[in-house]
Amino acid sequence: MKCLLVFDYSNDVIYTKYNKKFASHINDLAKLQGLTSEQNKNAKISSNIIVQIFSPIVTSQRIMSCQFGNSYTSIQCDNGLNMAFEEFMGYLFVSIGQEDVAAMKRFLSVCVTIVRYLCGPDVVMLKSNKQIASIVTSVIDSWIYLHNTEQLMLIEAIEQLMINSDLSSSALNTLQEAVDRLQAVIERPKVHALILVQNKFLGLYSSRTATSLSSTDILFFILLCNVNNLKNVSNETDTETDSEEEFYSPQSSPVHASETQLKSGKICNYQVMLAGNDFVPKCVPHVIYISTIEEGVDLLLIIEVGNALISSGLYDTFFHLNAIQTAQIQRDIETLKPAFDNLDTAIKKLTDGLKKVKNSTFELSYKQLSKQWDYMRKKYLEFIKANCSDALLRAESATMNFLDILKELLNLTAFDNSVLNASQVCVKEIVNMVQEKLESFNEFFRAKALRNFTLGSYPLLHLLMTKAEFPGLVHFIYVDRTTHRVTTPTLDFTSSETVNLTKKKIWSMIHFSRNHLQEGHLSLMWKDTTFNYAYFLWFEDTSGTALKPTIFPTNASKALPQPGILCGDFYQKLKEACFPKMSPTKVRCYELFCIHLGLATASCVLEHTRRLAATIWELRGHPNHPIDLL
């Protein structure tokens, strides 16, 4: 059984996604409890039944969160059924299934991230906009598929397609021409052009003033590009993992709906909220055009349509408004005062941004926002200074109207149809241009993506790594967690040494390592009957000198997100926790997974890992921008 539910402030369900086993179980339970008079064997569940069955646990979770600040994160039941909970902007996301709790928490956090990209801070769009709900459903399915099949999505890092400098230069020049042409037509200075080949990063060109894309943004692009691929693999069965039943959202269109389909040769757009390269997501509105110029080769044209200052102010205002709503339930001045200060600062940032833009479209909303906040601010200050409960009630009563104004501002600043209308014809011409210029290379790109490099036969970054140099080494995954770039050989399950190495073993190694990393263990070695496994995470300064944590991570691991970047940058927070007196920008972080044949000794494994890490570090260096990788 598997299910995803999203509840709003009043505990009404606004989004559901579940498989047939869950639907059958809930419908049987509803009949048993007298919630329905008919035996419903359909795959759909009435939203009323969902609310009635889950309302007690959702209400309990809200009370624990709002009144005690100690909400549930998960519940484990005797029958093997587990529940995981996560809140975002006051909306409660609930996952129900029979997987282990850690996997369910990761799934839930990824779902929240996907919703943030597609809805921004206004989660209720899942209910009010069927097209967005449909895209959310499709992207979640894309993540489930890629998380089970692609190393890069499992470890949440970007893999660079390794090609020679001439091809890299040709691709980059083509992308630059695409950006220049698009800028000239739409009169928007902030544009990116990106090419992905079989989920691997080929090249990116960004205009000078464009907001930097984060590695999380690029992973999200990979999810978007793979939405269409789900249709092509829906009838395939993975022999090494349990096949999933159809996991769908009844209130949204199916995965193959025309408006979310990315068909080869056709151009598809979404308007999304990208995070940018800052530690705290900005939710900056962008228009994205995705075109599959040839099977496995995707061109993305990305236009920034929002103002970063306004977007950041809006996101912060939504976030701190939700925080103060939670705090005011407790009627505690000491709890509410910092929440009020944070909200006041966020609104000031938002209004300053609106003043600078001087757009007549925003003028009415800006005046309404200022007037409403002046009133609410006065009432909050009355409560803080004199503990006047009537003042707090008046501030609370004005909150919903204030929230409606914020949503209107979000709609005005985030969704710009004029950009879509002005750019569509031009985009088709640009896609054709890119297609023509890269036509002779596309087949090579696809072949290269399928076999980027192998451990025993291909020069790794111009250095020949033969089996003789690393005897017993079967596979490795090296990740620079400053740029979130991964270096790893193409999986080859046909050679004599790797015939017993299965995808399940690699996935199990990564899950095992992450579970221990979550507990604060930075170095691990273990073995089974066939292979030795090793995992190392270490820190260096900008000159490459090793750094030892001043605070051991076991003392801080409980406050960290799950390892990865889609659910929040674990490695950034780990650096802050381990080196509280150093700027995170001065600390580099690296990961290395290794698999050796079982006969390899511990000293051999350690020597290999040191030499392997040093070789890759020396040749890759520290690129600060994706272009540097070309």
Side-chain angles (χ1 to χ4, degrees):
M1 291 191 293
K2 195 168 187 177
C3 174
L4 169 66
L5 304 172
V6 182
F7 294 90
D8 65 10
Y9 301 91
S10 58
N11 292 352
D12 285 333
V13 64
I14 65 167
Y15 179 86
T16 59
K17 181 173 171 59
Y18 47 79
N19 62 12
K20 291 179 181 178
K21 281 187 179 179
F22 182 84
S24 177
H25 177 75
I26 293 299
N27 284 326
D28 288 345
L29 189 62
K31 179 70 168 61
L32 186 66
Q33 294 184 0
L35 301 177
T36 179
S37 58
E38 298 180 0
Q39 189 73 28
N40 186 2
K41 292 296 182 181
N42 294 329
K44 293 186 178 181
I45 312 172
S46 164
S47 59
N48 290 332
I49 288 176
I50 291 176
V51 169
Q52 290 182 75
I53 290 178
F54 290 98
S55 183
I57 191 69
V58 172
T59 301
S60 175
Q61 207 274 351
R62 298 280 195 194
I63 291 172
M64 292 296 294
S65 174
C66 296
Q67 295 191 9
F68 302 102
N70 187 24
S71 58
Y72 311 132
T73 58
S74 63
I75 295 175
Q76 295 177 270
C77 305
D78 290 335
N79 60 358
L81 196 67
N82 297 323
M83 301 178 69
F85 304 87
E86 184 167 339
E87 285 196 46
F88 175 62
M89 295 296 175
Y91 292 81
L92 183 63
F93 289 66
V94 183
S95 177
I96 304 162
Q98 294 170 313
E99 297 175 284
D100 65 272
V101 171
M104 291 177 63
K105 285 182 177 179
R106 177 172 295 278
F107 166 73
L108 202 57
S109 294
V110 169
C111 290
V112 169
T113 297
I114 290 170
V115 169
R116 192 194 75 224
Y117 268 100
L118 293 166
C119 300
D122 189 13
V123 182
V124 80
M125 291 176 72
L126 287 173
K127 183 177 182 180
S128 62
N129 190 317
K130 289 186 177 180
Q131 183 176 4
I132 286 181
S134 177
I135 298 172
V136 167
T137 298
S138 299
V139 177
I140 290 174
D141 288 333
S142 177
W143 178 83
I144 291 171
Y145 174 71
L146 290 178
H147 187 259
N148 289 327
T149 57
E150 291 275 0
Q151 282 184 123
L152 65 87
M153 197 58 68
L154 181 65
I155 62 174
E156 298 180 10
I158 310 301
E159 184 173 357
Q160 174 79 33
L161 191 67
M162 293 185 179
I163 56 176
N164 64 45
S165 58
D166 290 337
L167 285 178
S168 295
S169 180
S170 296
L172 188 60
N173 290 335
T174 301
L175 292 174
Q176 181 177 0
E177 185 176 346
V179 167
D180 291 342
R181 284 197 189 187
L182 192 55
Q183 280 182 302
V185 172
I186 63 172
E187 298 181 349
R188 296 269 178 165
K190 301 178 181 182
V191 179
H192 308 269
L194 168 68
I195 293 179
L196 298 170
V197 182
Q198 301 285 8
N199 303 322
K200 294 177 176 63
F201 179 95
L202 173 62
L204 166 70
Y205 184 85
S206 303
S207 61
R208 190 175 299 276
T209 58
T211 301
S212 298
L213 299 178
S214 65
S215 296
T216 311
D217 291 334
I218 295 174
L219 285 176
F220 180 72
F221 296 155
I222 292 172
L223 293 177
L224 286 179
C225 291
N226 276 271
V227 165
N228 187 55
N229 295 339
L230 293 176
K231 184 179 179 183
N232 300 325
V233 301
S234 59
N235 295 322
E236 296 178 9
T237 302
D238 185 346
T239 57
E240 296 185 43
T241 57
D242 296 331
S243 58
E244 289 282 345
E245 284 188 72
E246 186 180 11
F247 184 40
Y248 62 96
S249 175
Q251 81 274 30
S252 66
S253 305
V255 171
H256 51 78
S258 59
E259 65 266 26
T260 64
Q261 191 75 6
L262 304 182
K263 294 183 178 177
S264 179
K266 292 193 176 180
I267 301 169
C268 183
N269 59 72
Y270 304 130
Q271 296 197 39
V272 301
M273 315 281 191
L274 298 184
N277 238 342
D278 288 351
F279 183 48
V280 178
K282 286 184 178 179
C283 276
V284 181
H286 287 72
V287 169
I288 303 178
Y289 286 97
I290 303 174
S291 176
T292 305
I293 58 177
E294 195 158 324
E295 185 179 356
V297 183
D298 294 305
L299 169 67
L300 294 88
L301 299 172
I302 304 144
I303 307 167
E304 186 175 332
V305 297
N307 177 284
L309 183 59
I310 294 176
S311 301
S312 178
L314 261 175
Y315 184 86
D316 289 348
T317 301
F318 270 99
F319 180 85
H320 292 298
L321 180 64
N322 174 62
I324 202 171
Q325 286 178 296
T326 302
Q328 64 196 20
I329 292 174
Q330 301 176 29
R331 293 295 192 271
D332 180 56
I333 295 177
E334 296 303 317
T335 304
L336 190 137
K337 189 178 186 308
F340 166 78
D341 291 338
N342 290 333
L343 179 58
D344 194 34
T345 301
I347 293 173
K348 187 178 186 306
K349 181 166 70 171
L350 172 59
T351 53
D352 287 347
L354 290 169
K355 284 179 185 176
K356 290 179 181 178
V357 171
K358 295 180 180 178
N359 189 322
S360 59
T361 308
F362 310 151
E363 190 173 341
L364 178 59
S365 295
Y366 166 72
K367 289 179 179 178
Q368 291 175 332
L369 178 78
S370 300
K371 181 179 179 181
Q372 192 74 6
W373 176 241
D374 286 344
Y375 173 79
M376 291 173 64
R377 187 176 187 278
K378 179 181 176 183
K379 296 304 175 185
Y380 278 127
L381 287 173
E382 284 181 19
F383 173 74
I384 292 170
K385 291 177 180 178
N387 197 14
C388 176
S389 57
D390 181 65
L392 184 59
L393 285 172
R394 291 181 182 275
E396 287 177 352
S397 64
T399 299
M400 291 311 297
N401 188 35
F402 184 72
L403 187 60
D404 288 339
I405 297 170
L406 288 178
K407 290 179 180 180
E408 178 64 21
L409 266 173
L410 179 67
N411 187 58
L412 290 172
T413 57
F415 303 104
D416 191 343
N417 288 327
S418 65
V419 175
L420 291 174
N421 297 332
S423 58
Q424 286 197 9
V425 174
C426 172
V427 165
K428 290 179 182 178
E429 295 173 353
I430 291 171
V431 168
N432 291 335
M433 180 273 293
V434 174
Q435 203 162 16
E436 289 173 7
K437 292 204 170 187
L438 298 183
E439 186 174 9
S440 57
F441 306 133
N442 284 333
E443 188 174 345
F444 171 76
F445 290 157
R446 293 201 311 273
K448 195 70 181 67
L450 294 175
R451 199 172 179 83
N452 209 13
F453 75 84
T454 59
L455 188 58
S457 62
Y458 194 86
L460 167 61
L461 300 170
H462 313 297
L463 180 70
L464 186 64
M465 291 181 55
T466 64
K467 294 175 184 176
E469 294 180 63
F470 295 90
L473 179 61
V474 177
H475 189 60
F476 72 87
I477 305 171
Y478 173 92
V479 191
D480 180 345
R481 282 301 178 185
T482 303
T483 58
H484 302 294
R485 304 287 155 151
V486 59
T487 303
T488 182
T490 303
L491 291 174
D492 180 7
F493 299 122
T494 59
S495 70
S496 58
E497 288 185 338
T498 60
V499 68
N500 292 318
L501 179 63
T502 61
K503 192 188 76 175
K504 183 174 283 188
K505 285 181 180 289
I506 296 173
W507 263 238
S508 177
M509 170 189 69
I510 294 171
H511 288 311
F512 183 85
S513 302
R514 281 188 157 171
N515 288 340
H516 283 273
L517 178 60
Q518 188 77 41
E519 295 172 2
H521 304 296
L522 304 184
S523 301
L524 299 169
M525 292 182 69
W526 72 101
K527 65 189 301 182
D528 59 20
T529 56
T530 311
F531 297 108
N532 276 333
Y533 304 90
Y535 170 76
F536 302 95
L537 183 146
W538 70 98
F539 305 97
E540 298 175 1
D541 63 18
T542 53
S543 65
T545 304
L547 293 174
K548 185 177 180 180
T550 54
I551 294 180
F552 204 70
T554 50
N555 300 325
S557 58
K558 291 183 179 179
L560 299 175
Q562 294 201 51
I565 59 175
L566 280 174
C567 307
D569 193 336
F570 170 88
Y571 306 93
Q572 175 81 6
K573 292 188 177 180
L574 182 64
K575 289 189 289 185
E576 291 177 349
C578 292
F579 304 94
K581 295 183 179 180
M582 287 184 68
S583 168
T585 59
K586 295 182 178 179
V587 180
R588 309 283 184 177
C589 180
Y590 302 89
E591 287 183 297
L592 181 61
F593 302 82
C594 285
I595 302 178
H596 284 75
L597 294 176
L599 295 176
T601 63
S603 59
C604 174
V605 171
L606 287 171
E607 193 272 333
H608 281 186
T609 54
R610 290 193 189 99
R611 197 148 50 91
L612 189 61
T615 300
I616 298 173
W617 185 95
E618 181 181 352
L619 291 168
R620 272 204 179 276
H622 302 297
N624 293 318
H625 191 280
I627 290 178
D628 296 337
L629 292 167
L630 297 174

